[in-house]
Amino acid sequence: EDEKTVAEIMGRRFFPDLITHKTWEGFHFAGHEIRITEATDCYGAVVWPSALVLCHFLETNPKQYNLVDKNVIEIGAGTGLVSIVASLLGAFVTATDLPELLGNLQHNVLQNTKQKCKHQPCVKELSWGIDLEKKFPRSSCHFDYIMAADVVYYHPFLDELLLTFDHLCKNDTVILWAMKFRLEKENQFVDRFQTLFDLEMISNFPSLNIALFKAMRKGRMKG
C-alpha cells in the first residue's frame, strides 16, 4: 500500500523536455499543471518529497480537510508548492519564509495562482521567533490551518520554530506537518513539540521515511 501510494505521489512530478536557462520542475495537483522554479544554491528553494506528500494528502482528502475559504499559513514555504496547491483548493493562503527566499517564492506563487484561485495568496516574510507579535498579532491573526513540510532538518532554529508554532496556533487551529526523519535531533524536536500539542500521525510512508502529522493545541476546549 505504501509503495503504491508513493508511486502515485511521485508520479505527480514531471520535468521539462528541454533544459532551459531556468531550472524548473512541474507537478500535477488540484487539476492544474504547476511549474516551480528552483534555486539550487539554498535548502529552501528546492521541492522536497515531504511537500509532495502534503499536497497529495490535501488533494485526496477534500471532505475531511475542506480548504475552501479557510485561512491557511504555510511556514517555511520554500518554493511555494504547498501554498499554491492549498490556494488552488480554495483557501486564503499566506506563504511565509526567510527574506532571501521571498523573491523566488513570490514568482512561483504568482505564476501558478493568478486568475486561477478564489483567493489570491499573499507572501510574507517570517523569520521564526522574530517579531512574531508585530507581524502576526495574536488579536487579529486567526489561522484555520498551519502547514509545514520538512521544516525540521538540521539547523539551529528549532527553539524558534516551536515558538512560532505556539504563537500562530489558536485553540481550534489544525497543524498539518509532513516530516522526513533523518537525524536524532528531529525525534527530540517531536518530543518537545508534544509538550504543547496533541500529535497524531495520519499518514506514513516508510519507503520515503516521511510521516504526516496532524496536531492541535493541548488543553483546548473540546466540542
Side-chain angles (χ1 to χ4, degrees), residues 125-133 135-136 160 163-164:
E125 178 191 336
L126 173 54
S127 301
W128 297 341
I130 298 172
D131 291 337
L132 292 174
E133 183 57 32
K135 289 179 176 167
F136 298 92
E160 290 82 356
L163 198 67
T164 302

Side-chain angles (χ1 to χ4, degrees), residues 25-218:
E25 283 186 73
F27 303 89
H28 292 288
F29 284 110
H32 290 268
E33 183 179 295
I34 300 165
R35 288 193 179 197
I36 296 291
T37 302
E38 299 186 329
T40 50
D41 56 349
C42 54
Y43 275 135
V46 175
V47 177
W48 299 103
S50 292
L52 302 189
V53 166
L54 184 47
C55 289
H56 182 266
F57 180 82
L58 295 174
E59 185 189 61
T60 52
N61 292 274
K63 284 200 174 78
Q64 200 176 354
Y65 296 91
N66 182 356
L67 297 185
V68 178
D69 298 332
K70 296 294 194 298
N71 204 8
V72 170
I73 186 168
E74 185 187 4
I75 60 173
T79 59
L81 181 62
V82 171
S83 287
I84 290 162
V85 171
S87 298
L88 292 170
L89 291 170
F92 182 83
V93 177
T94 304
T96 71
D97 215 314
L98 296 168
E100 61 267 27
L101 295 172
L102 294 189
N104 190 54
L105 175 58
Q106 179 75 62
H107 167 78
N108 284 330
V109 166
L110 201 60
Q111 177 175 278
N112 290 287
T113 60
K114 199 172 182 185
Q115 297 178 327
K116 296 177 184 174
C117 295
K118 188 173 183 185
H119 309 287
Q120 188 58 41
C122 68
V123 172
K124 281 182 80 168
E125 178 191 336
L126 173 54
S127 301
W128 297 341
I130 298 172
D131 291 337
L132 292 174
E133 183 57 32
K134 184 177 164 190
K135 289 179 176 167
F136 298 92
R138 283 181 196 263
S139 58
S140 59
C141 286
H142 188 118
F143 296 106
D144 298 297
Y145 290 97
I146 299 169
M147 297 193 182
D150 246 355
V151 289
V152 184
Y153 47 82
Y154 180 72
H155 58 50
F157 300 113
L158 295 181
D159 290 344
E160 290 82 356
L161 175 59
L162 192 58
L163 198 67
T164 302
F165 273 126
D166 186 40
H167 180 83
L168 296 172
C169 192
K170 295 279 202 287
N171 277 347
D172 56 350
T173 303
V174 174
I175 298 170
L176 291 175
W177 168 25
M179 172 171 163
K180 186 177 177 80
F181 287 85
R182 302 182 186 85
L183 305 160
E184 182 54 37
K185 209 174 179 78
E186 279 135 25
N187 295 315
Q188 291 169 8
F189 179 80
V190 170
D191 290 343
R192 290 181 52 216
F193 184 87
Q194 287 182 281
T195 63
L196 296 176
F197 301 98
D198 292 322
L199 191 65
E200 176 192 349
M201 186 188 290
I202 52 177
S203 218
N204 187 27
F205 301 98
S207 61
L208 293 173
N209 211 18
I210 290 172
L212 179 60
F213 297 101
K214 170 191 173 183
M216 293 187 79
R217 185 177 286 289
K218 274 186 185 293

